[in-house]
Amino acid sequence: MPINKKKPVTAVVASITSAILLSSCAHVDQTVAVPDDADKLLIVDCLLPPQVRKLGSSFAYAAARRPIKTSAADCEIRGGEYVAYDRADYRTALKVWLPQAEAGDPEAQNYVGQIYEKGLGLKEDYQTAAYWYEKSAAQGFSEAQINLGYLYEKGLGVAQDSAKALNLYRKASGIENDNLEFASTIEVARVSQDQLAKLQRQLEAEQQKNLRLQQEMVSVRDQMNNLDQELALARAQKRSKELELRLAKSEQSDGVDPAMEQQLQAEITDYEQQLSAGEKALRDFKSKEQSLEKEIEANTMQLASAELNQGRMSIQLIDPPMSITRGVRGAVVEESVKEKEIFGKINVPGGLEELLINSSLHELDEFSMFWANVPLQGSITPVEIVATDKLGQKVDYSFTIFSDQTPNKEAALNQSTDLELGRYRALIIGNNSYQGIPSLSTAVADAQATDRVLRERYGFQTTVLLNANRFEILSSLDEMRRTMTADDNLLIYYAGHGEIDRVNDRGYWLPVDADPERRTNWISNIAITDIINAIPARHIMVIADSCYSGTLGQTNLAAGGVEGQTQPSAEWVAAMSEVNARTVLTSGGVRPVLDIGGGEHSVFAKAFLSVLNENTTLLEGHSLYRQVMRQMRVSMARINQAQVPEYAPIKHAGHEGGEFFLKPVDSI
């Protein structure tokens, strides 16, 4: 049965607390108590107090303090020290984790690498991040192998090496069989060393400018905050003097002493002048802030362009997923298939001049994606994709499509569904009715329909939040952190408003109590990522009909499907089910887009629900993504909207190369 949380969580907590107090004989676990302050539910770097250990019968000593990642409330209960990221910067976190990293702890080494890669409060240092990831990865820490692979894939702090990146991804996921390839295969064009050096200098210059602008913005906002406090004090003092003057006039029937009245009036006038000057200064600061925001946004675009240029020209094939078939790179389809749709993305820094797929011209859409139907020629069809930019640089990608007789679907189904994938839970959030932001029309209906299909068709235990505020969302996520185990699977569905901060490229989910002018009640994707990283479930997938920033590339998503089969191979499922997965499927926008021809659901939700309702076998996350993308492409063309879903691992959330699986109850 779903757990529908339609009344305030605080009321629920109060009821539970009363029940515990009435049962004085019951065991009370203090860690279950939910704090009233939502900020106490955020994940922090907690430094626990030292354990007192005893050696022999008479000698006791204090062990070294141990760092952990947990909620602020849990850290307080355990007597630890912490500074939340929102209240400081990563330099504080570095002090927590560095001693353990230097002592050789692989988890601490991975966290130190993340701190240098993120660069909050200090300059991004990919080279140092790679150094710590290398140390952790060498000890077999799979999260570090994923993080290091990402740096090699993007050429950040290390020489770009796609082969090394892929090997690290495979090692992290435990894939040893060469037939088990990764979902998104990328072919990158070669670039001369001189050109790379020039691009690197351009990127470094833009990074330095961006850092200077960010520091200037921090300084301006600090001055605005200080001025706000000074103005508040001046207003209070002015009101105090005005009250003092009124009281003096009312208490003295023969009039106020002229000298006293003159002095009070002079002080009031002085405060009025201070307030006038301060408010003018505040307006100037706000104008400066707006100017800096525009400059930072423009510089961010320049920085993105420089990073794109440094990333080189490349072809990313999304569908079909590749495997090594009969000794060559290829995909397998059923014998009855006469035409195969392929699609992918091309990165063309110099601008695309020509795209040829088997010698036929094709165009890119506004998202730099290509779609093509390839006629199949008998049992073997070679496919060659060649892209040329305006500078004459070329990149090509070749593979083979094999047409085989239909595999034994029933045997494959029995093999995969016999695997024990653990318990399935879902946290489903649908926000329509906003207090300070225009309301939405489909989010609640989308959440309710998602709840039904997950419970009835896939056997999920669901928790449903409708029109939820910040505290309700964070407390439900914290409940998942406290109650889930390493054998569980968690799906988090969010439909509601979202925002992307273009200054720092951070995404936010907006609860119904969000203020459009202040971010106090916004929930950052960084905070959600930290909570997901702390949840012990083996497989976690976020479905966001909104935004979600902070993802890795698709290259480290493993592929298990053979086109035309009803489901992935049992061998692949067995490998992926043992490895942690942290992935996100987003709609590609910042809020639900109504399907004007599809009734009560958004375009994304309609496609997502359709895939889940029509599916009859084991479904992995990447296959869900490909099917949703196909359906959305048709719907978006009909309503003349531009939105493309995305699927990728969540960066720094504990992804180890695994995959999320959905298994209909009638297939078990």
mmCIF file of all heavy atoms in Angstrom, residues 180-224:
data_model
loop_
_atom_site.group_PDB
_atom_site.id
_atom_site.type_symbol
_atom_site.label_atom_id
_atom_site.label_comp_id
_atom_site.label_asym_id
_atom_site.label_seq_id
_atom_site.Cartn_x
_atom_site.Cartn_y
_atom_site.Cartn_z
ATOM 1 N N LEU A 180 30.332 -7.776 -23.042
ATOM 2 C CA LEU A 180 29.461 -6.860 -22.311
ATOM 3 C C LEU A 180 30.017 -5.450 -22.438
ATOM 4 O O LEU A 180 30.919 -5.058 -21.724
ATOM 5 C CB LEU A 180 29.373 -7.281 -20.839
ATOM 6 C CG LEU A 180 28.873 -8.710 -20.596
ATOM 7 C CD1 LEU A 180 28.903 -9.020 -19.114
ATOM 8 C CD2 LEU A 180 27.476 -8.892 -21.147
ATOM 9 N N GLU A 181 29.459 -4.706 -23.370
ATOM 10 C CA GLU A 181 29.985 -3.377 -23.656
ATOM 11 C C GLU A 181 29.169 -2.301 -22.944
ATOM 12 O O GLU A 181 28.199 -2.594 -22.254
ATOM 13 C CB GLU A 181 29.981 -3.124 -25.176
ATOM 14 C CG GLU A 181 31.116 -3.822 -25.904
ATOM 15 C CD GLU A 181 32.479 -3.253 -25.563
ATOM 16 O OE1 GLU A 181 32.576 -2.049 -25.280
ATOM 17 O OE2 GLU A 181 33.444 -4.014 -25.559
ATOM 18 N N PHE A 182 29.551 -1.047 -23.152
ATOM 19 C CA PHE A 182 28.867 0.065 -22.523
ATOM 20 C C PHE A 182 27.892 0.717 -23.485
ATOM 21 O O PHE A 182 28.064 0.691 -24.697
ATOM 22 C CB PHE A 182 29.881 1.082 -21.987
ATOM 23 C CG PHE A 182 30.470 0.639 -20.685
ATOM 24 C CD1 PHE A 182 31.475 -0.311 -20.640
ATOM 25 C CD2 PHE A 182 29.974 1.131 -19.501
ATOM 26 C CE1 PHE A 182 31.992 -0.741 -19.430
ATOM 27 C CE2 PHE A 182 30.485 0.711 -18.281
ATOM 28 C CZ PHE A 182 31.499 -0.226 -18.243
ATOM 29 N N ALA A 183 26.854 1.317 -22.896
ATOM 30 C CA ALA A 183 25.699 1.737 -23.672
ATOM 31 C C ALA A 183 26.008 2.818 -24.692
ATOM 32 O O ALA A 183 25.539 2.775 -25.812
ATOM 33 C CB ALA A 183 24.611 2.239 -22.722
ATOM 34 N N SER A 184 26.729 3.814 -24.306
ATOM 35 C CA SER A 184 26.976 4.940 -25.192
ATOM 36 C C SER A 184 28.431 4.913 -25.622
ATOM 37 O O SER A 184 29.326 5.094 -24.824
ATOM 38 C CB SER A 184 26.661 6.249 -24.471
ATOM 39 O OG SER A 184 26.894 7.333 -25.311
ATOM 40 N N THR A 185 28.665 4.625 -26.899
ATOM 41 C CA THR A 185 30.028 4.481 -27.389
ATOM 42 C C THR A 185 30.434 5.749 -28.124
ATOM 43 O O THR A 185 29.700 6.251 -28.962
ATOM 44 C CB THR A 185 30.124 3.279 -28.342
ATOM 45 O OG1 THR A 185 29.511 2.151 -27.696
ATOM 46 C CG2 THR A 185 31.557 2.947 -28.656
ATOM 47 N N ILE A 186 31.626 6.267 -27.810
ATOM 48 C CA ILE A 186 32.069 7.542 -28.377
ATOM 49 C C ILE A 186 33.334 7.346 -29.199
ATOM 50 O O ILE A 186 34.277 6.687 -28.768
ATOM 51 C CB ILE A 186 32.335 8.580 -27.258
ATOM 52 C CG1 ILE A 186 31.016 8.884 -26.525
ATOM 53 C CG2 ILE A 186 32.930 9.847 -27.808
ATOM 54 C CD1 ILE A 186 31.160 9.885 -25.423
ATOM 55 N N GLU A 187 33.333 7.920 -30.369
ATOM 56 C CA GLU A 187 34.523 7.947 -31.211
ATOM 57 C C GLU A 187 34.976 9.400 -31.317
ATOM 58 O O GLU A 187 34.179 10.279 -31.659
ATOM 59 C CB GLU A 187 34.214 7.389 -32.605
ATOM 60 C CG GLU A 187 35.439 7.114 -33.460
ATOM 61 C CD GLU A 187 36.213 5.877 -32.985
ATOM 62 O OE1 GLU A 187 35.609 4.995 -32.359
ATOM 63 O OE2 GLU A 187 37.417 5.822 -33.250
ATOM 64 N N VAL A 188 36.232 9.675 -31.006
ATOM 65 C CA VAL A 188 36.733 11.048 -30.957
ATOM 66 C C VAL A 188 37.771 11.277 -32.040
ATOM 67 O O VAL A 188 38.643 10.437 -32.275
ATOM 68 C CB VAL A 188 37.361 11.355 -29.568
ATOM 69 C CG1 VAL A 188 37.818 12.792 -29.484
ATOM 70 C CG2 VAL A 188 36.354 11.051 -28.458
ATOM 71 N N ALA A 189 37.667 12.432 -32.707
ATOM 72 C CA ALA A 189 38.642 12.766 -33.753
ATOM 73 C C ALA A 189 39.974 13.157 -33.135
ATOM 74 O O ALA A 189 40.042 13.697 -32.035
ATOM 75 C CB ALA A 189 38.106 13.921 -34.600
ATOM 76 N N ARG A 190 41.056 12.883 -33.854
ATOM 77 C CA ARG A 190 42.391 13.276 -33.383
ATOM 78 C C ARG A 190 42.628 14.758 -33.672
ATOM 79 O O ARG A 190 42.246 15.271 -34.701
ATOM 80 C CB ARG A 190 43.472 12.436 -34.083
ATOM 81 C CG ARG A 190 43.476 10.985 -33.641
ATOM 82 C CD ARG A 190 44.702 10.273 -34.200
ATOM 83 N NE ARG A 190 44.829 8.946 -33.653
ATOM 84 C CZ ARG A 190 44.272 7.873 -34.183
ATOM 85 N NH1 ARG A 190 43.544 7.987 -35.280
ATOM 86 N NH2 ARG A 190 44.422 6.689 -33.632
ATOM 87 N N VAL A 191 43.303 15.423 -32.742
ATOM 88 C CA VAL A 191 43.608 16.840 -32.883
ATOM 89 C C VAL A 191 45.101 17.023 -32.659
ATOM 90 O O VAL A 191 45.701 16.353 -31.820
ATOM 91 C CB VAL A 191 42.807 17.683 -31.852
ATOM 92 C CG1 VAL A 191 43.102 19.155 -32.017
ATOM 93 C CG2 VAL A 191 41.317 17.424 -32.001
ATOM 94 N N SER A 192 45.715 17.953 -33.396
ATOM 95 C CA SER A 192 47.151 18.170 -33.261
ATOM 96 C C SER A 192 47.480 18.714 -31.877
ATOM 97 O O SER A 192 46.662 19.360 -31.227
ATOM 98 C CB SER A 192 47.627 19.169 -34.315
ATOM 99 O OG SER A 192 47.154 20.467 -34.015
ATOM 100 N N GLN A 193 48.726 18.475 -31.410
ATOM 101 C CA GLN A 193 49.155 18.939 -30.100
ATOM 102 C C GLN A 193 49.158 20.460 -30.019
ATOM 103 O O GLN A 193 48.822 21.039 -28.983
ATOM 104 C CB GLN A 193 50.551 18.388 -29.785
ATOM 105 C CG GLN A 193 50.576 16.887 -29.539
ATOM 106 C CD GLN A 193 49.688 16.489 -28.372
ATOM 107 O OE1 GLN A 193 49.729 17.105 -27.313
ATOM 108 N NE2 GLN A 193 48.877 15.452 -28.572
ATOM 109 N N ASP A 194 49.528 21.142 -31.120
ATOM 110 C CA ASP A 194 49.525 22.608 -31.134
ATOM 111 C C ASP A 194 48.113 23.147 -30.926
ATOM 112 O O ASP A 194 47.900 24.107 -30.172
ATOM 113 C CB ASP A 194 50.089 23.128 -32.465
ATOM 114 C CG ASP A 194 51.597 22.923 -32.554
ATOM 115 O OD1 ASP A 194 52.215 22.662 -31.498
ATOM 116 O OD2 ASP A 194 52.145 23.017 -33.666
ATOM 117 N N GLN A 195 47.155 22.521 -31.615
ATOM 118 C CA GLN A 195 45.777 22.968 -31.479
ATOM 119 C C GLN A 195 45.259 22.706 -30.067
ATOM 120 O O GLN A 195 44.569 23.536 -29.480
ATOM 121 C CB GLN A 195 44.885 22.254 -32.498
ATOM 122 C CG GLN A 195 43.448 22.789 -32.529
ATOM 123 C CD GLN A 195 42.619 22.129 -33.617
ATOM 124 O OE1 GLN A 195 43.112 21.284 -34.362
ATOM 125 N NE2 GLN A 195 41.362 22.510 -33.703
ATOM 126 N N LEU A 196 45.637 21.558 -29.498
ATOM 127 C CA LEU A 196 45.229 21.245 -28.131
ATOM 128 C C LEU A 196 45.798 22.257 -27.136
ATOM 129 O O LEU A 196 45.126 22.685 -26.204
ATOM 130 C CB LEU A 196 45.685 19.832 -27.755
ATOM 131 C CG LEU A 196 44.767 18.672 -28.143
ATOM 132 C CD1 LEU A 196 45.402 17.352 -27.745
ATOM 133 C CD2 LEU A 196 43.401 18.817 -27.503
ATOM 134 N N ALA A 197 47.074 22.632 -27.328
ATOM 135 C CA ALA A 197 47.713 23.600 -26.440
ATOM 136 C C ALA A 197 47.005 24.956 -26.516
ATOM 137 O O ALA A 197 46.793 25.623 -25.496
ATOM 138 C CB ALA A 197 49.184 23.750 -26.802
ATOM 139 N N LYS A 198 46.632 25.352 -27.726
ATOM 140 C CA LYS A 198 45.924 26.621 -27.909
ATOM 141 C C LYS A 198 44.561 26.581 -27.216
ATOM 142 O O LYS A 198 44.168 27.538 -26.537
ATOM 143 C CB LYS A 198 45.745 26.896 -29.407
ATOM 144 C CG LYS A 198 45.029 28.208 -29.709
ATOM 145 C CD LYS A 198 44.903 28.415 -31.219
ATOM 146 C CE LYS A 198 44.153 29.715 -31.524
ATOM 147 N NZ LYS A 198 43.996 29.906 -32.984
ATOM 148 N N LEU A 199 43.840 25.474 -27.384
ATOM 149 C CA LEU A 199 42.541 25.320 -26.750
ATOM 150 C C LEU A 199 42.673 25.310 -25.228
ATOM 151 O O LEU A 199 41.829 25.859 -24.515
ATOM 152 C CB LEU A 199 41.866 24.031 -27.234
ATOM 153 C CG LEU A 199 41.444 23.989 -28.706
ATOM 154 C CD1 LEU A 199 40.952 22.594 -29.074
ATOM 155 C CD2 LEU A 199 40.358 25.023 -28.993
ATOM 156 N N GLN A 200 43.751 24.685 -24.730
ATOM 157 C CA GLN A 200 43.972 24.630 -23.291
ATOM 158 C C GLN A 200 44.218 26.029 -22.728
ATOM 159 O O GLN A 200 43.692 26.385 -21.665
ATOM 160 C CB GLN A 200 45.160 23.715 -22.972
ATOM 161 C CG GLN A 200 45.473 23.569 -21.491
ATOM 162 C CD GLN A 200 44.357 22.888 -20.715
ATOM 163 O OE1 GLN A 200 43.674 22.032 -21.266
ATOM 164 N NE2 GLN A 200 44.173 23.264 -19.464
ATOM 165 N N ARG A 201 45.013 26.844 -23.442
ATOM 166 C CA ARG A 201 45.274 28.222 -22.995
ATOM 167 C C ARG A 201 43.977 29.027 -22.977
ATOM 168 O O ARG A 201 43.728 29.816 -22.060
ATOM 169 C CB ARG A 201 46.314 28.882 -23.896
ATOM 170 C CG ARG A 201 47.737 28.346 -23.708
ATOM 171 C CD ARG A 201 48.756 29.250 -24.375
ATOM 172 N NE ARG A 201 48.577 29.312 -25.818
ATOM 173 C CZ ARG A 201 49.137 28.474 -26.684
ATOM 174 N NH1 ARG A 201 49.914 27.495 -26.242
ATOM 175 N NH2 ARG A 201 48.922 28.595 -27.980
ATOM 176 N N GLN A 202 43.149 28.845 -24.009
ATOM 177 C CA GLN A 202 41.874 29.553 -24.073
ATOM 178 C C GLN A 202 40.978 29.155 -22.899
ATOM 179 O O GLN A 202 40.360 30.004 -22.258
ATOM 180 C CB GLN A 202 41.162 29.239 -25.392
ATOM 181 C CG GLN A 202 39.789 29.909 -25.535
ATOM 182 C CD GLN A 202 39.036 29.414 -26.761
ATOM 183 O OE1 GLN A 202 39.536 28.603 -27.527
ATOM 184 N NE2 GLN A 202 37.823 29.893 -26.929
ATOM 185 N N LEU A 203 40.945 27.865 -22.604
ATOM 186 C CA LEU A 203 40.123 27.374 -21.501
ATOM 187 C C LEU A 203 40.610 27.933 -20.170
ATOM 188 O O LEU A 203 39.808 28.384 -19.341
ATOM 189 C CB LEU A 203 40.143 25.840 -21.478
ATOM 190 C CG LEU A 203 39.389 25.161 -20.329
ATOM 191 C CD1 LEU A 203 37.911 25.507 -20.378
ATOM 192 C CD2 LEU A 203 39.588 23.652 -20.396
ATOM 193 N N GLU A 204 41.930 27.926 -19.939
ATOM 194 C CA GLU A 204 42.478 28.427 -18.680
ATOM 195 C C GLU A 204 42.188 29.912 -18.492
ATOM 196 O O GLU A 204 41.900 30.360 -17.385
ATOM 197 C CB GLU A 204 43.978 28.153 -18.629
ATOM 198 C CG GLU A 204 44.321 26.673 -18.447
ATOM 199 C CD GLU A 204 45.803 26.399 -18.540
ATOM 200 O OE1 GLU A 204 46.559 27.351 -18.837
ATOM 201 O OE2 GLU A 204 46.219 25.237 -18.317
ATOM 202 N N ALA A 205 42.255 30.682 -19.582
ATOM 203 C CA ALA A 205 41.961 32.116 -19.500
ATOM 204 C C ALA A 205 40.502 32.349 -19.105
ATOM 205 O O ALA A 205 40.202 33.208 -18.259
ATOM 206 C CB ALA A 205 42.258 32.790 -20.842
ATOM 207 N N GLU A 206 39.589 31.584 -19.698
ATOM 208 C CA GLU A 206 38.175 31.724 -19.367
ATOM 209 C C GLU A 206 37.910 31.274 -17.934
ATOM 210 O O GLU A 206 37.086 31.861 -17.230
ATOM 211 C CB GLU A 206 37.311 30.914 -20.344
ATOM 212 C CG GLU A 206 37.350 31.404 -21.791
ATOM 213 C CD GLU A 206 36.815 32.819 -21.946
ATOM 214 O OE1 GLU A 206 36.054 33.276 -21.082
ATOM 215 O OE2 GLU A 206 37.164 33.473 -22.940
ATOM 216 N N GLN A 207 38.611 30.228 -17.481
ATOM 217 C CA GLN A 207 38.446 29.764 -16.106
ATOM 218 C C GLN A 207 38.913 30.813 -15.107
ATOM 219 O O GLN A 207 38.271 31.032 -14.080
ATOM 220 C CB GLN A 207 39.211 28.449 -15.893
ATOM 221 C CG GLN A 207 38.564 27.242 -16.558
ATOM 222 C CD GLN A 207 39.422 25.996 -16.473
ATOM 223 O OE1 GLN A 207 40.656 26.077 -16.370
ATOM 224 N NE2 GLN A 207 38.801 24.835 -16.531
ATOM 225 N N GLN A 208 40.043 31.473 -15.396
ATOM 226 C CA GLN A 208 40.553 32.523 -14.514
ATOM 227 C C GLN A 208 39.574 33.696 -14.445
ATOM 228 O O GLN A 208 39.308 34.242 -13.368
ATOM 229 C CB GLN A 208 41.921 33.015 -15.020
ATOM 230 C CG GLN A 208 43.055 32.032 -14.797
ATOM 231 C CD GLN A 208 43.397 31.882 -13.321
ATOM 232 O OE1 GLN A 208 43.123 32.764 -12.517
ATOM 233 N NE2 GLN A 208 43.986 30.747 -12.966
ATOM 234 N N LYS A 209 39.019 34.068 -15.597
ATOM 235 C CA LYS A 209 38.054 35.166 -15.623
ATOM 236 C C LYS A 209 36.809 34.791 -14.834
ATOM 237 O O LYS A 209 36.275 35.599 -14.066
ATOM 238 C CB LYS A 209 37.680 35.495 -17.070
ATOM 239 C CG LYS A 209 36.712 36.676 -17.193
ATOM 240 C CD LYS A 209 36.404 36.989 -18.644
ATOM 241 C CE LYS A 209 35.420 38.157 -18.761
ATOM 242 N NZ LYS A 209 35.071 38.444 -20.171
ATOM 243 N N ASN A 210 36.362 33.564 -14.998
ATOM 244 C CA ASN A 210 35.168 33.110 -14.295
ATOM 245 C C ASN A 210 35.400 33.107 -12.782
ATOM 246 O O ASN A 210 34.523 33.507 -12.004
ATOM 247 C CB ASN A 210 34.782 31.710 -14.767
ATOM 248 C CG ASN A 210 33.383 31.317 -14.322
ATOM 249 O OD1 ASN A 210 32.407 31.962 -14.662
ATOM 250 N ND2 ASN A 210 33.290 30.254 -13.552
ATOM 251 N N LEU A 211 36.597 32.680 -12.350
ATOM 252 C CA LEU A 211 36.925 32.666 -10.932
ATOM 253 C C LEU A 211 36.932 34.084 -10.368
ATOM 254 O O LEU A 211 36.404 34.333 -9.278
ATOM 255 C CB LEU A 211 38.287 31.998 -10.714
ATOM 256 C CG LEU A 211 38.770 31.885 -9.258
ATOM 257 C CD1 LEU A 211 37.814 31.013 -8.446
ATOM 258 C CD2 LEU A 211 40.189 31.334 -9.206
ATOM 259 N N ARG A 212 37.529 35.044 -11.123
ATOM 260 C CA ARG A 212 37.567 36.433 -10.669
ATOM 261 C C ARG A 212 36.148 36.992 -10.524
ATOM 262 O O ARG A 212 35.826 37.664 -9.534
ATOM 263 C CB ARG A 212 38.366 37.289 -11.663
ATOM 264 C CG ARG A 212 38.403 38.768 -11.302
ATOM 265 C CD ARG A 212 39.142 39.579 -12.349
ATOM 266 N NE ARG A 212 38.553 39.479 -13.674
ATOM 267 C CZ ARG A 212 37.455 40.150 -14.046
ATOM 268 N NH1 ARG A 212 36.822 40.936 -13.172
ATOM 269 N NH2 ARG A 212 36.992 40.033 -15.266
ATOM 270 N N LEU A 213 35.285 36.717 -11.493
ATOM 271 C CA LEU A 213 33.910 37.207 -11.435
ATOM 272 C C LEU A 213 33.151 36.584 -10.266
ATOM 273 O O LEU A 213 32.376 37.262 -9.586
ATOM 274 C CB LEU A 213 33.187 36.900 -12.753
ATOM 275 C CG LEU A 213 33.653 37.694 -13.987
ATOM 276 C CD1 LEU A 213 33.017 37.143 -15.251
ATOM 277 C CD2 LEU A 213 33.319 39.178 -13.831
ATOM 278 N N GLN A 214 33.376 35.294 -10.036
ATOM 279 C CA GLN A 214 32.707 34.625 -8.920
ATOM 280 C C GLN A 214 33.136 35.241 -7.591
ATOM 281 O O GLN A 214 32.314 35.463 -6.691
ATOM 282 C CB GLN A 214 33.045 33.123 -8.924
ATOM 283 C CG GLN A 214 32.517 32.349 -10.112
ATOM 284 C CD GLN A 214 31.064 31.950 -9.961
ATOM 285 O OE1 GLN A 214 30.407 32.339 -9.012
ATOM 286 N NE2 GLN A 214 30.569 31.174 -10.902
ATOM 287 N N GLN A 215 34.436 35.519 -7.452
ATOM 288 C CA GLN A 215 34.935 36.119 -6.211
ATOM 289 C C GLN A 215 34.365 37.520 -6.019
ATOM 290 O O GLN A 215 34.019 37.910 -4.894
ATOM 291 C CB GLN A 215 36.465 36.160 -6.237
ATOM 292 C CG GLN A 215 37.114 34.776 -6.131
ATOM 293 C CD GLN A 215 38.610 34.808 -6.373
ATOM 294 O OE1 GLN A 215 39.131 35.749 -6.988
ATOM 295 N NE2 GLN A 215 39.307 33.778 -5.905
ATOM 296 N N GLU A 216 34.263 38.276 -7.110
ATOM 297 C CA GLU A 216 33.695 39.619 -7.031
ATOM 298 C C GLU A 216 32.223 39.551 -6.631
ATOM 299 O O GLU A 216 31.747 40.359 -5.835
ATOM 300 C CB GLU A 216 33.851 40.328 -8.381
ATOM 301 C CG GLU A 216 33.492 41.803 -8.323
ATOM 302 C CD GLU A 216 33.793 42.532 -9.621
ATOM 303 O OE1 GLU A 216 34.415 41.924 -10.526
ATOM 304 O OE2 GLU A 216 33.395 43.704 -9.745
ATOM 305 N N MET A 217 31.497 38.541 -7.169
ATOM 306 C CA MET A 217 30.089 38.374 -6.819
ATOM 307 C C MET A 217 29.943 38.047 -5.339
ATOM 308 O O MET A 217 29.065 38.583 -4.649
ATOM 309 C CB MET A 217 29.464 37.264 -7.671
ATOM 310 C CG MET A 217 28.012 36.945 -7.311
ATOM 311 S SD MET A 217 26.880 38.303 -7.676
ATOM 312 C CE MET A 217 26.569 37.961 -9.405
ATOM 313 N N VAL A 218 30.796 37.175 -4.817
ATOM 314 C CA VAL A 218 30.756 36.830 -3.390
ATOM 315 C C VAL A 218 30.980 38.077 -2.541
ATOM 316 O O VAL A 218 30.294 38.305 -1.545
ATOM 317 C CB VAL A 218 31.808 35.750 -3.059
ATOM 318 C CG1 VAL A 218 31.952 35.591 -1.547
ATOM 319 C CG2 VAL A 218 31.421 34.421 -3.687
ATOM 320 N N SER A 219 31.953 38.911 -2.960
ATOM 321 C CA SER A 219 32.247 40.135 -2.213
ATOM 322 C C SER A 219 31.056 41.089 -2.219
ATOM 323 O O SER A 219 30.695 41.659 -1.178
ATOM 324 C CB SER A 219 33.477 40.825 -2.823
ATOM 325 O OG SER A 219 33.699 42.072 -2.217
ATOM 326 N N VAL A 220 30.423 41.258 -3.384
ATOM 327 C CA VAL A 220 29.264 42.154 -3.493
ATOM 328 C C VAL A 220 28.125 41.655 -2.613
ATOM 329 O O VAL A 220 27.486 42.429 -1.886
ATOM 330 C CB VAL A 220 28.811 42.271 -4.964
ATOM 331 C CG1 VAL A 220 27.428 42.918 -5.056
ATOM 332 C CG2 VAL A 220 29.808 43.095 -5.762
ATOM 333 N N ARG A 221 27.867 40.345 -2.647
ATOM 334 C CA ARG A 221 26.765 39.797 -1.842
ATOM 335 C C ARG A 221 27.060 39.890 -0.350
ATOM 336 O O ARG A 221 26.152 40.116 0.454
ATOM 337 C CB ARG A 221 26.482 38.361 -2.263
ATOM 338 C CG ARG A 221 25.769 38.288 -3.613
ATOM 339 C CD ARG A 221 25.565 36.871 -4.111
ATOM 340 N NE ARG A 221 24.754 36.877 -5.323
ATOM 341 C CZ ARG A 221 24.567 35.818 -6.107
ATOM 342 N NH1 ARG A 221 25.157 34.663 -5.800
ATOM 343 N NH2 ARG A 221 23.812 35.901 -7.185
ATOM 344 N N ASP A 222 28.322 39.720 0.034
ATOM 345 C CA ASP A 222 28.694 39.889 1.444
ATOM 346 C C ASP A 222 28.440 41.323 1.891
ATOM 347 O O ASP A 222 27.910 41.568 2.994
ATOM 348 C CB ASP A 222 30.168 39.531 1.652
ATOM 349 C CG ASP A 222 30.407 38.025 1.671
ATOM 350 O OD1 ASP A 222 29.422 37.281 1.795
ATOM 351 O OD2 ASP A 222 31.576 37.611 1.542
ATOM 352 N N GLN A 223 28.827 42.288 1.040
ATOM 353 C CA GLN A 223 28.608 43.692 1.377
ATOM 354 C C GLN A 223 27.119 44.012 1.453
ATOM 355 O O GLN A 223 26.682 44.785 2.306
ATOM 356 C CB GLN A 223 29.293 44.585 0.338
ATOM 357 C CG GLN A 223 30.818 44.512 0.391
ATOM 358 C CD GLN A 223 31.468 45.387 -0.666
ATOM 359 O OE1 GLN A 223 31.460 46.606 -0.563
ATOM 360 N NE2 GLN A 223 32.030 44.763 -1.699
ATOM 361 N N MET A 224 26.324 43.406 0.560
ATOM 362 C CA MET A 224 24.873 43.613 0.597
ATOM 363 C C MET A 224 24.286 43.064 1.899
ATOM 364 O O MET A 224 23.435 43.709 2.525
ATOM 365 C CB MET A 224 24.217 42.935 -0.605
ATOM 366 C CG MET A 224 24.448 43.654 -1.924
ATOM 367 S SD MET A 224 23.781 42.726 -3.333
ATOM 368 C CE MET A 224 22.032 42.756 -2.981
#
